[in-house]
Amino acid sequence: MSYFDAASAAPLHPVARQALLASLDEGWADPGRLYREGRRARLLLDAAREAAAEAVGCRADELVFTSSGTRAVQTGIAGVLGGRRRIGRHLIVSAVEHSAVLHSAEAHEADGGTVTRVPVVRSGAVEVGAYEETVRADTALACLQSANHEVGTEQPVAAVAEVCRAAGVPLLVDAAQSLGWGQVHGDWSVLTASAHKWGGPSGVGLLVVRKGVRYAAREAEEFGNLPAIVAAAASLRAVRAEADREAVRLRELTERIRVRVPELVPDVEVVGDPRRRLPGIVTFSCLYVDGEALLHELDREGFSVSSGSSCTSSTLTPSHVLKAMGVLSEGNVRVSLPAGAAEEDVERFLDVLPGAVAGVREKLGAPAPATAVREDELIVDALGKRCPIPVIELAKVIGDVPVGGRVRVLSDDEAARLDIPAWCEMRGQEYVGEEPAEKGTAYLVRRTS
């Protein structure tokens, strides 16, 4: 089995396993106690904190361990908002933040605060000027991930941090995906991360609050699973020692996937920034493919990958990241290679993928080229049908109208609002817009070629 979902959780690093087992014998006592066993545990905790702080690039007394990356995010946002409540209650987040950040923003709004969600360009990156325009006198906090968890795009953290610093606004950086590859540069104020993203044990997060940041602490005690903390710090140091060499190797493998997938599989869109991205992540979307069905096909072939397609979600709505980028969501596949991923496994994935996609398309009745011309406008009734059926039905009939003719697609699937415009861009057709319909929404497409 080839595990290609390291962006969700990286396999436990051997150093983490060794440190975890060793510290179970030495670090079981309460490090807050003054007797011998407690002092021994305290030494382990202090050493872990020093190692983690060195990796982050902060002071040891600025870093605490939490029970998860999500808890680190929630605690960090709440702490800064509470500490700067007198300044204002305006929060800035990017539209592609991790759901932990966006859920905290929603909770802040429900509590009477205001939130501005900064859009991204098609590559998934924010524009620095957008943050500059959004900062206000009552802005208490701005948030920006260091790199995106779904498409791998790196964000201009240093430049945004400079804008925030000039305005006197702290910047919280979610570094969950990038910290294993290197320090986050820039004058940020708060940083969060999660150990299972770099090969540490699950259930350990990092929260760093720089000295001088107004912060209202809401947790009296630090998370206390000492063996897991020791393993997290040890593995972070270990992966950093290997990061530069491994990054070069994984970039070559992911670039191979980025280039060859569109050559091997028709009607594919590779998403995310082609250059400013994390070493091991590559994401692409396939037209006329059900994401869940494709993941099952690849699983049967021995590959573990993930997807942002709406049809792999119980909500039947597309990934908020893909939606914010304005890219195709159907048939979405994220390949995130773990450290040590074998070249032969990548080659085997490229051999298997075309057949897997073709099989799913055949089951769904994907379109063959059409040549007949009948009417100036056709109506496609896709009400009650989920992705990617509305787009498949559109593709089947676009050739049945003359150049300049229109197709009206009736759909009540939220994914159609994203995928029909994306299909038009990929196929060189004109997306006219949407109109309310008696049931659902009517999406208008004009044939241009």
Side-chain angles (χ1 to χ4, degrees):
M1 192 74 181
S2 298
Y3 181 74
F4 285 178
D5 194 22
S8 294
L12 191 67
H13 194 282
V15 168
R17 181 177 289 104
Q18 294 168 4
L20 182 64
L21 294 175
S23 58
L24 285 173
D25 293 330
E26 297 293 327
W28 51 268
D30 184 347
R33 301 302 180 184
L34 297 179
Y35 42 70
R36 179 181 302 142
E37 293 84 359
R39 295 197 304 271
R40 186 182 299 127
R42 184 71 197 190
L43 287 174
L44 287 174
L45 177 59
D46 289 345
R49 195 189 316 279
E50 290 282 352
E54 181 182 1
V56 170
C58 68
R59 292 169 39 158
D61 59 355
E62 294 174 329
L63 184 150
V64 296
F65 296 99
T66 67
S67 58
S68 68
T70 295
R71 176 55 62 89
V73 165
Q74 294 170 339
T75 304
I77 291 176
V80 177
L81 290 176
R84 289 172 54 84
R85 191 180 181 95
R86 291 184 179 180
I87 293 171
R89 304 202 63 199
H90 179 228
L91 172 66
I92 302 172
V93 299
S94 85
V96 293
E97 295 298 311
H98 189 274
S99 57
V101 174
L102 298 182
H103 289 162
S104 291
E106 291 169 1
H108 180 60
E109 279 183 312
D111 192 41
T114 58
V115 177
T116 298
R117 294 167 179 82
V118 177
V120 296
V121 297
R122 195 171 178 83
S123 69
V126 301
E127 293 183 321
V128 178
Y131 270 77
E132 194 167 16
E133 294 170 1
T134 304
V135 170
R136 308 185 322 211
D138 65 336
T139 301
L141 175 66
C143 300
L144 180 63
Q145 60 190 189
S146 55
N148 187 258
H149 49 289
E150 288 194 31
V151 300
T153 297
E154 294 178 331
Q155 300 289 359
V157 170
V160 171
E162 186 176 343
V163 166
C164 292
R165 180 66 64 180
V169 174
L171 177 68
L172 181 149
V173 177
D174 172 13
Q177 288 296 338
S178 72
L179 193 60
W181 296 109
Q183 292 184 0
V184 178
H185 300 293
D187 199 8
W188 48 264
S189 302
V190 182
L191 181 140
T192 64
S194 185
H196 74 284
K197 300 291 188 179
W198 66 67
S202 60
V204 181
L206 300 183
L207 171 60
V208 179
V209 182
R210 295 284 200 191
K211 294 298 181 182
V213 176
R214 291 188 179 185
Y215 188 83
R218 297 195 177 185
E219 294 187 350
E221 295 185 32
E222 186 173 48
F223 166 63
N225 187 339
L226 184 54
I229 288 173
V230 171
S235 58
L236 180 55
R237 174 178 285 181
V239 298
R240 280 289 190 81
E242 308 159 354
D244 289 345
R245 179 181 66 256
E246 189 64 12
V248 172
R249 200 178 68 84
L250 291 187
R251 284 190 189 280
E252 192 280 327
L253 292 177
T254 53
E255 183 62 23
R256 190 179 306 181
I257 296 172
R258 288 182 65 89
V259 171
R260 289 183 57 189
V261 165
E263 296 174 350
L264 296 169
V265 182
D267 298 320
V268 164
E269 180 180 16
V270 181
V271 301
D273 194 289
R275 292 174 297 277
R276 291 182 54 84
R277 69 175 192 274
L278 291 173
I281 297 180
V282 56
T283 305
F284 55 89
S285 299
C286 309
L287 273 175
Y288 321 129
V289 169
D290 178 285
E292 186 172 4
L294 180 55
L295 262 58
H296 285 316
E297 287 294 326
L298 292 172
D299 181 58
R300 280 192 283 269
E301 294 289 347
F303 294 97
S304 301
V305 298
S306 65
S307 173
S309 292
S310 57
C311 35
T312 63
S313 167
S314 60
T315 63
L316 294 175
T317 57
S319 150
H320 71 276
V321 172
L322 301 178
K323 186 175 182 179
M325 293 168 63
V327 298
L328 183 70
S329 74
E330 66 183 65
N332 177 262
V333 175
R334 180 188 67 183
V335 175
S336 50
L337 304 177
E343 180 180 3
E344 52 267 31
D345 288 341
V346 171
E347 286 297 327
R348 191 168 68 85
F349 174 78
L350 292 171
D351 288 340
V352 164
L353 181 66
V357 173
V360 173
R361 285 174 171 166
E362 183 178 2
K363 291 176 184 177
L364 291 171
T371 56
V373 175
R374 294 196 296 270
E375 301 180 36
D376 289 342
E377 179 170 290
L378 291 178
I379 296 177
V380 172
D381 186 353
L383 293 169
K385 299 176 181 178
R386 301 301 176 187
C387 72
I389 301 302
V391 177
I392 288 178
E393 297 302 320
L394 166 63
K396 284 181 177 179
V397 304
I398 191 68
D400 292 350
V401 298
V403 173
R406 301 197 309 181
V407 176
R408 183 184 298 266
V409 183
L410 303 179
S411 177
D412 52 6
D413 180 16
E414 179 64 24
R417 178 169 282 110
L418 176 63
D419 288 345
I420 289 177
W423 178 89
C424 291
E425 182 164 335
M426 292 178 68
R427 307 303 292 174
Q429 307 299 339
E430 180 186 353
Y431 178 63
V432 178
E434 63 177 74
E435 297 176 351
E438 184 176 350
K439 293 181 179 180
T441 303
Y443 300 94
L444 279 66
V445 176
R446 178 177 288 111
R447 181 183 177 189
T448 59
S449 61

